[in-house]
Amino acid sequence: MLSSGKMNRIYDSVEPRVMDDDILKLAVGEQGPQEEAGQLAKQEDILFKDVLSLQLDFQNILRIDNLWQFENLQKLQLDNNIIERIEGLENLTQLVWLDLSFNNIKVIEGLDTLVNLEDLSLFNNRISKIDSLDALVKLQVLSLGNNQIDNMLNIIYLRQFKCLRTLSLSGNPITQTEAYKMFIYAHLPDLVYLDFRRIDDHMKELAEMKYQYSIDELKHQEHLRQAQLEEEQAWRVKLEEYKMAFVEHLNGSFLFDSMYAEDVEGSKLSCLPIVSKLLEVYKDKFVIICLNIFDYGLKQQEKRKLELNTFNECVQEAIQENQEQGKLRIARFEEMHLLEAINMFERNITDMVDMFIENVQSLMAQCRDLENHHHEKLLEISISTLEKIIKGELDEELPDDVRALFADKDTIVNAVGASHDIHLLKIDNREDELVTRINSWCTHLVDKIHKDEVMRNRKRVKEISQYIDHMQSELDNLECGDMD
């Protein structure tokens, strides 16, 4: 067997080829009768999307490209080329078997969409690290022999692949490591074949005993990571739910904190006497209003969902009646019934959205009132502090950057005003975002419902026309019979 280095030297003198339509059409045509590929190739326009298996070995291909049309491809053979990167496979989501052996690949990448892949061969490349396989949850066979893998930690990475049964690593530096096989037996307990040999059950038991302590610690860490992943997933699901209600990040102090994130002057002024306490009270009241908006938003979202579900049920009932009864007799009733339901739904959902916006704007106005009140108090405290500084009566020692704000009345008034403007802008922007998004949602929803109704009308007209033609044909036949 040729080593990776020898393979690479052989290909150094080969002229690279581009993976274009001509190569792909030729490859499909040469596959013969398998999966009717030969018949497909004889067609004027080859339907690449119908091809299930594609063989492109020994083609001197340098770069994977133009495979996006093979959306139903299940088997792809790209071995014995001069490919340097794994790329261009994004659309091959149905791929089950992939052979990239005997190429010049250095890094495992570009496999994130291949969620159905079961068999992957990267034999005889230049790979030094096993990673970027996370999406391959169905992986059963992994061939990585004759590469440059030299770290045993790569084995631990493979523990996440619960379906992995066959692994080949022969010809890698890692195989020279002491207890190489025992380490793999212990850390990959579901593996059946290693380097083309079936794993002996007794050796597996000995390996598990030898590495029991480290395996137990590893399982504990994996359990913690899994719990964290599940928690993050649950949070993402909740966040999507909150976004659907247009109230994400309003169930806490996020909006308030964002007001001060870019407010340099406001942050400086918070160290003034009394201001810290004033700020604490302000924040508590502000967050309560945000929570009210959040809770109200979730309740209104449930009402909107109920209204939409009721409407969809009404539409399905009308369509069902049309299918079960005579088309001519029911068509007019269905049309009137659906039109009435659509108009009623449009009125109801628009009224609900308008009421939601009105109440949210009222609550946002309360946030602005709090900000205005805080601004007045902060300005009052700042002016008082300036007067004390001028008179030399200020007992507290202020940091230099804060004291610089009290150079004169204009400076401190401008600083407090700038802080106030930032806060109001944050409140206004969040309100505008909410109103814009829910109005857009409502408009798109109503438009879609009307478009769906237009499509149903066209379908009904076609059905009625066919029904009339059928009845006319029946009458013509009857008339012919009477004449006879």
Side-chain angles (χ1 to χ4, degrees):
M1 183 174 290
L2 292 169
S3 70
S4 181
K6 291 179 181 177
M7 285 294 301
N8 295 331
R9 281 197 293 274
I10 287 173
Y11 282 125
D12 283 343
S13 60
V14 173
E15 184 68 27
R17 295 182 67 188
V18 178
M19 189 185 288
D20 55 21
D21 274 0
D22 291 338
I23 286 182
L24 295 174
K25 287 178 182 178
L26 183 63
V28 171
E30 288 179 347
Q31 287 185 55
Q34 291 97 338
E35 298 147 7
E36 300 182 355
Q39 296 179 23
L40 289 171
K42 293 173 185 177
Q43 297 177 8
E44 184 176 346
D45 295 319
I46 296 177
L47 299 176
F48 287 157
K49 69 180 182 64
D50 294 330
V51 177
L52 300 180
S53 179
L54 185 61
Q55 188 172 336
L56 291 164
D57 55 335
F58 295 98
Q59 297 290 324
N60 305 332
I61 294 169
L62 177 64
R63 181 182 176 189
I64 305 170
D65 201 2
N66 290 315
L67 291 176
W68 59 272
Q69 297 179 73
F70 293 83
E71 56 192 61
N72 292 306
L73 195 67
Q74 295 179 9
K75 182 176 180 179
L76 177 58
Q77 196 166 336
L78 284 166
D79 60 282
N80 289 282
N81 285 290
I82 50 176
I83 296 167
E84 296 180 348
R85 288 191 62 189
I86 306 173
E87 58 187 339
L89 304 176
E90 295 82 7
N91 278 33
L92 311 187
T93 56
Q94 302 305 312
L95 208 60
V96 175
W97 190 93
L98 175 62
D99 189 352
L100 285 164
S101 58
F102 295 96
N103 280 287
N104 294 330
I105 298 166
K106 293 182 180 180
V107 177
I108 301 175
E109 59 186 337
L111 303 173
D112 293 341
T113 62
L114 308 189
V115 294
N116 290 302
L117 199 65
E118 296 178 4
D119 193 316
L120 173 62
S121 179
L122 289 164
F123 187 85
N124 212 103
N125 279 279
R126 301 178 180 181
I127 297 165
S128 59
K129 183 180 180 182
I130 308 175
D131 63 357
S132 302
L133 296 171
D134 301 55
L136 312 188
V137 293
K138 296 182 180 180
L139 191 64
Q140 297 179 21
V141 179
L142 179 60
S143 176
L144 282 165
N146 278 23
N147 277 282
Q148 298 168 14
I149 301 163
D150 60 1
N151 192 331
M152 293 297 284
L153 292 178
N154 284 267
I155 304 303
I156 295 175
Y157 170 77
L158 293 175
R159 283 176 60 82
Q160 65 184 290
F161 302 100
K162 304 304 179 185
C163 298
L164 188 63
R165 297 295 179 268
T166 301
L167 176 65
S168 170
L169 290 169
S170 59
N172 282 279
I174 195 176
T175 60
Q176 305 303 315
T177 305
E178 186 180 356
Y180 152 73
K181 290 184 178 180
M182 294 293 279
F183 187 89
I184 292 179
Y185 298 162
H187 289 82
L188 302 178
D190 295 323
L191 207 62
V192 178
Y193 293 94
L194 175 63
D195 297 335
F196 313 107
R197 291 176 179 249
R198 187 177 182 88
I199 299 172
D200 181 75
D201 290 339
H202 177 64
M203 294 302 294
K204 188 180 291 188
E205 290 174 4
L206 292 176
E208 289 173 357
M209 291 173 59
K210 179 178 180 179
Y211 291 96
Q212 183 176 357
Y213 177 78
S214 61
I215 293 293
D216 288 345
E217 179 60 26
L218 197 55
K219 287 180 178 178
H220 175 67
Q221 294 299 325
E222 289 171 347
H223 175 74
L224 292 178
R225 280 197 297 272
Q226 183 61 31
Q228 183 180 354
L229 288 173
E230 290 174 0
E231 186 177 332
E232 290 173 355
Q233 177 61 23
W235 180 83
R236 283 193 291 270
V237 170
K238 279 292 181 185
L239 182 60
E240 285 305 310
E241 178 187 337
Y242 301 156
K243 284 182 178 179
M244 289 296 294
F246 311 101
V247 292
E248 72 277 10
H249 304 309
L250 288 172
N251 56 332
S253 63
F254 181 85
L255 179 56
F256 185 89
D257 295 338
S258 71
M259 286 164 32
Y260 282 87
E262 302 168 13
D263 180 13
V264 178
E265 283 79 5
S267 299
K268 290 177 182 177
L269 292 170
S270 63
C271 71
L272 291 176
I274 314 174
V275 172
S276 58
K277 181 63 177 176
L278 181 71
L279 196 60
E280 186 179 332
V281 173
Y282 174 31
K283 182 175 182 177
D284 289 344
K285 291 181 178 179
F286 193 97
V287 171
I288 287 173
I289 296 173
C290 289
L291 289 172
N292 286 339
I293 297 173
F294 178 79
D295 292 338
Y296 175 67
L298 292 184
K299 290 176 183 176
Q300 289 301 302
Q301 167 66 357
E302 287 302 314
K303 290 182 179 180
R304 291 193 296 270
K305 283 168 61 177
L306 180 61
E307 184 71 25
L308 182 57
N309 290 339
T310 302
F311 168 74
N312 287 332
E313 289 173 5
C314 179
V315 171
Q316 290 305 314
E317 286 175 6
I319 293 173
Q320 188 67 26
E321 288 177 2
N322 184 31
Q323 293 172 346
E324 292 175 354
Q325 302 186 37
K327 288 183 173 57
L328 282 174
R329 187 164 64 85
I330 199 66
R332 183 173 295 276
F333 168 77
E334 181 200 339
E335 184 176 348
M336 292 175 60
H337 184 59
L338 279 177
L339 187 59
E340 181 182 342
I342 289 171
N343 290 336
M344 182 179 295
F345 172 77
E346 185 174 351
R347 285 195 302 272
N348 289 347
I349 203 72
T350 302
D351 288 346
M352 291 172 75
V353 167
D354 289 343
M355 182 180 69
F356 176 66
I357 290 173
E358 183 180 341
N359 288 332
V360 167
Q361 287 177 330
S362 175
L363 289 166
M364 284 293 188
Q366 292 180 31
C367 289
R368 273 186 286 272
D369 289 342
L370 280 176
E371 168 57 30
N372 290 332
H373 177 73
H374 177 75
H375 168 67
E376 291 171 3
K377 288 290 186 183
L378 182 59
L379 185 59
E380 182 182 316
I381 293 169
S382 298
I383 296 296
S384 174
T385 302
L386 176 62
E387 292 173 352
K388 289 181 180 179
I389 290 174
I390 293 172
K391 295 177 182 179
E393 297 175 355
L394 187 67
D395 297 330
E396 294 81 1
E397 188 66 32
L398 298 178
D400 291 342
D401 58 342
V402 178
R403 183 173 283 274
L405 297 176
F406 293 90
D408 52 49
K409 187 174 182 180
D410 285 345
T411 304
I412 189 59
V413 168
N414 289 338
V416 175
S419 173
H420 182 49
D421 290 343
I422 290 173
H423 298 177
L424 288 178
L425 183 61
K426 287 288 184 180
I427 297 170
D428 291 345
N429 286 347
R430 185 62 181 92
E431 180 183 325
D432 290 344
E433 180 197 358
L434 185 150
V435 171
T436 300
R437 281 172 52 203
I438 193 168
N439 276 329
S440 176
W441 171 83
C442 185
T443 300
H444 286 131
L445 176 62
V446 171
D447 286 349
K448 182 180 182 303
I449 287 170
H450 282 291
K451 287 178 183 177
D452 289 346
E453 176 58 11
V454 168
M455 295 302 296
R456 277 194 297 269
N457 283 335
R458 289 176 181 172
K459 184 179 178 182
R460 280 200 298 271
V461 168
K462 184 178 180 181
E463 289 174 348
I464 292 169
S465 177
Q466 291 173 344
Y467 180 76
I468 291 173
D469 290 344
H470 172 72
M471 294 304 296
Q472 185 62 52
S473 176
E474 291 290 318
L475 287 172
D476 291 345
N477 292 336
L478 286 173
E479 289 176 0
C480 290
D482 291 341
M483 289 175 64
D484 291 341

